[in-house]
Amino acid sequence: MSKIALITGITGQDGSYLAELLIAKKYKVHGIVRRVALENENHRLWRIKHIINKIKLHAATLESYASIVKIISKIKPDEIYHLGAQSYVDYSFNDEFSTLNTNINGTHFLLSAIKDFSPKSKFYFAGSSEMFGKVVEIPQTERTPFYPRSAYGISKVTGYELTRNYREAYKLFCVSGILFNHESPRRGFEFVTRKISYSVAKIKMGIQNKIFLGNIDAKRDWGHAKDYVRAMWLMLQKKKPEDYVVCTGKQYSVRDFLKLAFSLVDLDYKKHLIIDEKLMRPSEVNSLIGNNAKAKKHLKWDMHYDFRSLVKEMVFSDLDFIKNEKFL
Ligand code: NAP
Ligand code: GDD
């Protein structure tokens, strides 16, 4: 019999790739979406339009325990992937309250609903390298202490601790993936990599001339979302619930990304870049780099993409996107 999976955040970058992966594995895939998304399909459902007939969508919100309980008690999923969140770090400085409410309560509501109505469901929590924040150890592993630098980071540390506590206190199968930055042509336009790839495409096509950025010396460990959703699935296939760091183990600066993205279409980023102080964060995460040894050893996980192939795919996909004026 097919397994049943429930994905929160199915309209997001990771949700869309994970849904594709699970469909290919013959799962029955359910997704939680906000009612407004159903009302405006072209806008919010662009990443899952091509698989819309293969999934079942339910209107709910992470702010409402009642809406979540209704779905979980009805479909009793074998696996629940909790990816829904206010995921934009920069926005969390403008609205700490909604970030904390959605991200902490949403996770708590799901865990509590599983405990009371579907205790056999396995649960994946989307933890983040932002939890390491001002890093106390290089590279970061599953044992590195957290030092979050934003309401977003704090919300993810709390979600991680809630997940651990439900695992220990109620013996539920709950795990956190501590995923480092992962990108793709489906990345939201507010994140720096997509802002760059989209701008490069527009500059190349003569639609735009300048790109405004903040701290281009920030360093990240960037992978591809398609590779990372595979790790999520692998975590829920293990006998024992454990947390895993997922990363490439390689680090590049925003400047490196910028330089490569422009050079791929024979442009010089220095001729188009303007540093805008308004885009600097009040407390920045300057440098992240992870150690993926545990995921490689215990999950037999590996990557198909490297930094260059990721940047290349994003830039050429955005060139195509602009040329064809179509969503991916
Ligand atoms: P994303 O593209 O921003 O997607 C976020 C998803 O959450 C969207 O489907 C969004 O729905 C949904 N959502 C937000 N608020 C909600 C609410 N109140 N109720 C219901 N749904 C809500 O994020 P992503 O890049 O796919 O990341 C997936 C998860 O992994 C997030 O939890 C993120 O924090 C975490 N993470 C991401 C990375 C990364 O580099 N991508 C790294 C580590 C951890 P709408 O479409 O309606 O807005
Ligand atoms: N967004 C953005 N826009 N970031 C900029 C800009 C800009 O114009 N200029 C410089 N940056 C810098 C940011 O200051 C940050 O240091 C870096 O680029 C990456 O920013 P984002 O792409 O917004 O990602 P993030 O690292 O803050 O957060 C992402 O990764 C986390 C995992 O570490 C998000 O996907 C989070 O949801 C995820 O948890």
Side-chain angles (χ1 to χ4, degrees):
M1 227 174 57
S2 324
K3 280 192 186 171
I4 298 170
L6 175 66
I7 304 175
T8 73
I10 195 167
T11 57
Q13 170 187 256
D14 293 6
S16 66
Y17 284 118
L18 180 66
E20 281 173 6
L21 178 82
L22 297 177
I23 290 167
K25 291 187 182 297
K26 310 278 184 244
Y27 279 61
K28 285 193 177 125
V29 178
H30 295 251
I32 285 181
V33 295
R34 295 193 259 197
R35 191 181 51 79
V36 284
L38 292 174
E39 275 171 12
N40 189 348
E41 293 198 4
N42 279 338
H43 181 50
R44 290 308 310 170
L45 302 187
W46 62 275
R47 294 183 179 99
I48 52 172
K49 245 181 156 176
H50 59 296
I51 49 170
I52 205 85
N53 295 327
K54 297 182 180 158
I55 56 184
K56 171 99 179 92
L57 296 180
H58 305 263
T61 157
L62 294 171
E63 282 93 37
S64 157
Y65 174 71
S67 73
I68 287 169
V69 159
K70 227 186 265 175
I71 297 164
I72 289 186
S73 55
K74 188 170 159 206
I75 66 176
K76 294 204 173 10
D78 296 288
E79 296 170 13
I80 298 177
Y81 296 87
H82 176 34
L83 312 182
Q86 192 305 91
S87 71
Y88 186 29
V89 175
D90 196 41
Y91 179 72
S92 79
F93 290 106
N94 296 329
D95 189 354
E96 298 180 348
F97 291 91
S98 77
T99 303
L100 294 171
N101 280 341
T102 303
N103 294 5
I104 297 176
N105 290 342
T107 307
H108 193 191
F109 293 157
L110 279 157
L111 285 164
S112 179
I114 292 170
K115 173 168 80 70
D116 290 338
F117 299 98
S118 187
K120 290 208 165 68
S121 297
K122 293 181 171 182
F123 177 79
Y124 172 87
F125 171 66
S128 163
S129 49
E130 274 291 306
M131 303 192 302
F132 297 123
K134 189 174 175 185
V135 300
V136 302
E137 183 181 40
I138 300 168
Q140 294 84 56
T141 74
E142 290 78 5
R143 292 172 307 283
T144 303
F146 301 134
Y147 193 144
R149 299 271 281 168
S150 62
Y152 172 82
I154 292 165
S155 76
K156 288 291 178 180
V157 171
T158 310
Y160 167 93
E161 294 294 0
L162 280 165
T163 303
R164 183 187 51 72
N165 193 239
Y166 269 71
R167 176 168 72 223
E168 292 172 1
Y170 308 114
K171 312 292 175 236
L172 301 180
F173 191 112
C174 305
V175 304
S176 292
I178 307 175
L179 270 53
F180 283 61
N181 296 50
H182 45 280
E183 322 293 313
S184 75
R186 294 185 195 168
R187 188 55 145 152
F189 291 87
E190 65 273 43
F191 300 97
V192 77
T193 56
R194 186 72 196 272
K195 185 172 172 181
I196 294 171
S197 65
Y198 191 49
S199 297
V200 165
K202 287 211 278 188
I203 291 169
K204 186 69 185 172
M205 298 295 287
I207 303 166
Q208 177 180 320
N209 188 31
K210 297 288 176 208
I211 177 168
F212 294 82
L213 292 173
N215 177 16
I216 61 167
D217 294 317
K219 293 185 184 126
R220 290 290 183 275
D221 176 331
W222 274 300
H224 196 296
K226 240 185 196 176
D227 283 333
Y228 285 34
V229 299
R230 226 172 33 252
M232 298 176 188
W233 177 77
L234 285 168
M235 284 179 219
L236 294 198
Q237 310 316 306
K238 295 294 286 182
K239 277 224 166 67
K240 203 168 147 229
E242 283 185 47
D243 303 325
Y244 294 87
V245 158
V246 180
C247 60
T248 68
K250 298 212 163 70
Q251 191 184 55
Y252 296 90
S253 64
V254 174
R255 189 193 299 276
D256 293 331
F257 195 104
L258 195 59
K259 201 171 166 185
L260 176 57
F262 274 82
S263 73
L264 284 169
V265 293
D266 303 317
L267 291 173
D268 177 359
Y269 79 94
K270 290 190 192 129
K271 293 188 179 148
H272 302 278
L273 173 66
I274 295 180
I275 297 295
D276 182 346
E277 291 297 320
K278 289 195 293 298
L279 296 170
M280 303 285 181
R281 296 180 181 175
S283 48
E284 173 67 296
V285 170
N286 288 313
S287 173
L288 292 172
I289 180 168
N291 176 337
N292 57 22
K294 183 179 177 188
K296 280 193 164 171
K297 185 166 176 210
H298 295 280
L299 300 177
K300 308 266 177 281
W301 174 80
D302 217 338
M303 301 150 278
H304 298 318
Y305 285 83
D306 62 9
F307 183 68
R308 190 179 172 83
S309 55
L310 168 70
V311 181
K312 202 168 167 191
E313 186 181 298
M314 290 182 74
V315 168
F316 287 101
S317 167
D318 270 335
L319 266 174
D320 205 34
F321 170 60
I322 287 170
K323 282 182 194 155
N324 297 314
E325 289 186 340
K326 66 168 175 57
F327 279 117
L328 295 151

